[in-house]
Amino acid sequence: MTDRYISLITGILTLCILGISSCSRVVASSSSREATECPVLSAGQIDSIVFEMADSNVTSGINSFAINMAKLVMENSEDNYIFSPLGIAFNLSMLSNGANGITKDEILTVLGVNNINDAQNRLNNYCRSVDVIINNPATNGSARLANSLWVDEKHKIKKQFKTICKNKFHTGIFIRNLSSEATKDEINQWVSANTDGLIKNFLSHSLYVQQSSALINAIFVKAPWDFKFDHSLTSERYPFNNIDGTEGICKMMKAFNRTQETIAFDCFDIIRFTLASSTYGFDVILPHPDVDLKDCINQIDDNIFVKWKSRARHKTWDIVRMPKFDIRTTHSFHKSLVKLGLDHLFTDSDFSDMTPSKHFFISDILQKARFIVEEDGAEAAAATMDTAVGSPFGITEPRPKPTELILDRPFMYTLTDLRTNTIIFIGEVKKFPK
């Protein structure tokens, strides 16, 4: 087989579960990670790492990449979607260590770190810090970020590249016959172990003989709300104003008397719902009535999330309604990444620091993602609010109309790690079935 047929498939697996009360740390199978495990850190150690990350300016670049990707995904998606820009960024960051020349420059530019001094080392250190922090137990929640590099036994990967992958990204390295049925089963086992068994058959068939290696990133987050949605208050059939003008029907959760951090803009608001004792932020970008989401996203930049505390204000609603949803999507990011400027990644690539092969290129970057939002537990938040809303001392004057936050029209959302201000997931709810 000639070198020009050698290719690398980059697969990104992302999975997020929100609002589940029984949280346990994901345990990988014995073959899931042939690299140094992330240490368990104290709160003080995490604070120290976060301080160093803030000084690096890499977070801003990665979040800018996330928002740029969201704009392109939004343009090409007619239905609900979810994806992890962090998963893509991690794979591109690993690949940048094996790239040279214009290929490397394009990757660092697209990731928004090209103007940072010592960009490659800072990017690597950032990824290592995020890996360590996400893999540390969160209060009342669990999370996992895992990386693996699968190399065909007939293909060579340079030792220096493998060392960086292990030390900076905690990447498991697996030398296998990639086109065999046994390797397909092993990859599926790795995927299942690192997504808590929620994705069991990532590969439906064996990899092709032309594929020399596969780089797979998995992100899993499972966290409860910091406040409770009462199951008994969920409406089974609630109208939702679909993006195409039709009316869909969704299951709508309900809570009373909620105060949320909010940033108000001219045509939309961003409302933050916290999870796992404020470890994560579920940030809803809600356009004002009759405003299209596409008109909002151009006003969103990376600083909104990096500098959230200085811009957010508290707002209280008597009633909050949020739809339950379970969104699963599969994306190919080839075209989107080319539009962002990765012209050489998929064609005339230079990965001479990764492999001795002269004509090594990336054939595609794929991602499977799932995002579930539902109630957390069965505590009766409504009982507390019932006493607060009632008229005291027999007063019979008309009560003011309760303030309501109702997510019954298309909205975008992000899941952000609040320790690092890093966007992990971005999605959009556009419609529900009739």
Side-chain angles (χ1 to χ4, degrees):
M1 182 182 301
T2 61
D3 280 344
R4 67 188 183 90
Y5 290 110
I6 294 176
S7 63
L8 179 139
I9 295 290
T10 304
I12 305 167
L13 274 172
T14 58
L15 187 94
C16 179
I17 303 296
L18 299 185
I20 305 296
S21 57
S22 57
C23 294
S24 59
R25 184 172 175 82
V26 177
V27 179
S29 66
S30 59
S31 65
S32 67
R33 182 174 278 198
E34 296 178 4
T36 304
E37 289 290 340
C38 295
V40 176
L41 304 180
S42 67
Q45 289 173 313
I46 290 178
D47 288 342
S48 178
I49 292 175
V50 169
F51 178 80
E52 293 177 3
M53 291 175 67
D55 185 56
S56 73
N57 294 320
V58 177
T59 303
S60 180
I62 296 298
N63 281 351
S64 179
F65 164 75
I67 293 166
N68 289 334
M69 283 295 299
K71 293 176 181 178
L72 293 174
V73 174
M74 174 184 283
E75 289 178 2
N76 298 317
S77 298
E78 296 181 358
D79 208 338
N80 304 334
Y81 64 83
I82 176 64
F83 76 101
S84 174
L86 183 64
I88 305 169
F90 253 74
N91 276 18
L92 290 176
S93 298
M94 277 189 279
L95 288 172
S96 66
N97 287 278
N100 267 312
I102 192 169
T103 305
K104 187 187 196 73
D105 291 341
E106 286 180 354
I107 294 174
L108 296 180
T109 299
V110 165
L111 291 178
V113 300
N114 58 307
N115 292 324
I116 299 174
N117 292 331
D118 197 20
Q120 186 66 73
N121 284 333
R122 290 197 178 195
L123 180 63
N124 289 346
N125 290 335
Y126 164 86
C127 290
R128 182 180 184 278
S129 297
V130 170
D131 187 309
V132 169
I133 289 173
I134 288 181
N135 282 297
N136 268 267
T139 304
N140 297 323
S142 64
R144 185 167 184 84
L145 189 156
N147 301 292
S148 62
L149 175 62
W150 302 76
V151 183
D152 189 82
E153 56 195 9
K154 298 177 182 178
H155 182 63
K156 294 187 180 297
I157 296 292
K158 291 187 175 181
K159 182 179 180 180
Q160 181 181 356
F161 179 78
K162 291 191 288 187
T163 299
I164 292 174
C165 287
K166 285 184 177 181
N167 293 342
K168 295 296 184 180
F169 298 85
H170 296 101
T171 303
I173 311 286
F174 304 92
I175 311 300
R176 301 288 189 271
N177 175 1
L178 288 194
S179 61
S180 71
E181 190 75 11
T183 301
K184 181 206 75 173
D185 293 341
E186 190 177 0
I187 290 175
N188 285 341
Q189 181 187 9
W190 185 93
V191 168
S192 179
N194 285 287
T195 59
D196 203 28
L198 292 171
I199 298 180
K200 298 183 182 297
N201 295 297
F202 176 54
L203 294 179
S204 58
H205 56 76
S206 302
L207 296 175
Y208 300 112
V209 293
Q210 294 92 342
Q211 295 168 350
S212 61
S213 46
L215 185 60
I216 302 177
N217 164 269
I219 301 177
F220 172 85
V221 177
K222 184 176 184 180
W225 300 108
D226 284 347
F227 65 87
K228 309 292 184 181
F229 284 104
D230 186 345
H231 282 272
S232 68
L233 298 176
T234 297
S235 300
E236 292 296 315
R237 294 184 60 82
Y238 196 94
F240 187 90
N241 300 298
N242 291 335
I243 197 167
D244 58 7
T246 62
E247 183 179 278
I249 300 296
C250 68
K251 294 182 179 181
M252 186 70 78
M253 302 182 298
K254 186 178 183 180
F256 292 110
N257 194 27
R258 297 303 173 195
T259 299
Q260 313 295 148
E261 288 186 341
T262 304
I263 301 178
F265 293 84
D266 291 338
C267 62
F268 66 97
D269 297 319
I270 304 181
I271 306 103
R272 171 163 290 174
F273 299 87
T274 54
L275 303 103
S277 300
S278 295
T279 301
Y280 303 103
F282 178 74
D283 301 322
V284 173
I285 297 98
L286 181 65
H288 294 170
D290 301 322
V291 175
D292 194 297
L293 265 173
K294 292 181 179 179
D295 297 329
C296 302
I297 194 169
N298 290 328
Q299 299 183 42
I300 300 174
D301 58 37
D302 55 280
N303 283 324
I304 290 175
F305 301 95
V306 174
K307 299 179 179 179
W308 179 273
K309 286 297 182 184
S310 64
R311 302 184 62 175
R313 299 293 181 267
H314 287 91
K315 185 173 180 179
T316 301
W317 287 273
D318 295 325
I319 299 172
V320 172
R321 297 182 190 270
M322 181 187 294
K324 293 177 62 172
F325 58 86
D326 181 351
I327 297 175
R328 312 180 193 199
T329 54
T330 300
H331 290 284
S332 166
F333 290 105
H334 181 287
K335 293 181 179 179
S336 295
L337 290 170
V338 169
K339 286 184 178 180
L340 286 183
L342 291 180
D343 297 323
H344 291 79
L345 186 69
F346 302 101
T347 53
D348 187 19
S349 304
D350 181 354
F351 283 103
S352 53
D353 280 353
M354 179 181 179
T355 174
S357 301
K358 295 180 180 180
H359 300 285
F360 186 88
F361 64 93
I362 310 302
S363 57
D364 204 349
I365 292 186
L366 308 171
Q367 183 178 101
K368 283 189 175 182
R370 184 180 181 185
F371 204 100
I372 300 174
V373 168
E374 57 184 17
E375 307 93 342
D376 177 29
E379 295 187 27
T384 302
M385 186 58 194
D386 285 344
T387 59
V389 173
S391 300
F393 310 117
I395 296 175
T396 58
E397 294 180 4
R399 294 197 307 263
K401 183 178 180 180
T403 57
E404 292 185 305
L405 171 61
I406 306 178
L407 306 183
D408 62 352
R409 58 185 183 274
F411 62 90
M412 180 176 283
Y413 60 93
T414 68
L415 184 74
T416 305
D417 185 312
L418 301 185
R419 296 162 295 184
T420 63
N421 292 316
T422 299
I423 299 171
I424 305 177
F425 294 91
I426 297 180
E428 190 177 350
V429 176
K430 294 185 176 185
K431 59 184 179 180
F432 286 92
K434 299 179 182 180

